[in-house]
Amino acid sequence: QVQLVESGGGLVQAGGSLRLSCAASGRTITTYIMAWFRQAPGKEREFVAGISGSGGSTNYADSVKGRFTISRDNAKNTVYLQVNSLRPEDTAVYYCAARSGTVLSQRTIRYEYWGQGTQVTVSS
């Protein structure tokens, strides 16, 4: 079992930045694909960014490319999401997720473990 705990969310003005963290416990996440998803009120949960076990491969949703950066520190068993140039439409609960294997997937069903989420609210 892998337990995931997100932190770093908050209220920020448009154009601002945050750094979200996802601390894992229970197992080392070195062999896990890690990803961030988000869910806005009334909308489906959507993929934001993913990273391979080594950190050598990443992918992003088109809506966040160039603004968000996913990274990981396997020594700390932690994954990060740097979110810059925030827009009101980025407002959502952001979730960290993990899946075993080597394929970066954007599908929620592929992920075995989920955190409880952290709220990001962007004011205009």
Side-chain angles (χ1 to χ4, degrees):
Q1 289 283 351
V2 176
Q3 292 80 43
L4 304 173
V5 179
E6 303 94 333
S7 62
L11 173 63
V12 63
Q13 289 187 333
S17 299
L18 289 170
R19 189 193 196 200
L20 308 184
S21 297
C22 171
S25 61
R27 289 182 181 176
T28 178
I29 59 170
T30 305
T31 58
Y32 285 81
I33 299 291
M34 302 298 295
W36 288 92
F37 289 77
R38 67 185 181 186
Q39 188 167 18
K43 295 187 177 182
E44 293 187 354
R45 193 168 298 188
E46 64 175 1
F47 173 82
V48 174
I51 188 166
S52 62
S54 66
S57 296
T58 59
N59 63 354
Y60 297 90
D62 288 344
S63 59
V64 307
K65 281 181 181 177
R67 300 189 299 124
F68 291 11
T69 303
I70 189 171
S71 61
R72 64 192 298 159
D73 185 339
N74 285 338
K76 295 182 178 179
N77 234 29
T78 300
V79 179
Y80 305 97
L81 185 68
Q82 179 69 40
V83 295
N84 298 329
S85 303
L86 282 163
R87 306 166 179 169
E89 55 264 37
D90 293 319
T91 295
V93 177
Y94 283 70
Y95 297 91
C96 178
R99 68 180 298 262
S100 53
T102 59
V103 176
L104 283 167
S105 175
Q106 299 189 7
R107 298 181 64 189
T108 57
I109 197 172
R110 299 297 186 191
Y111 288 81
E112 304 157 62
Y113 304 104
W114 293 85
Q116 83 291 345
T118 185
Q119 177 71 48
V120 172
T121 303
V122 184
S123 63
S124 57

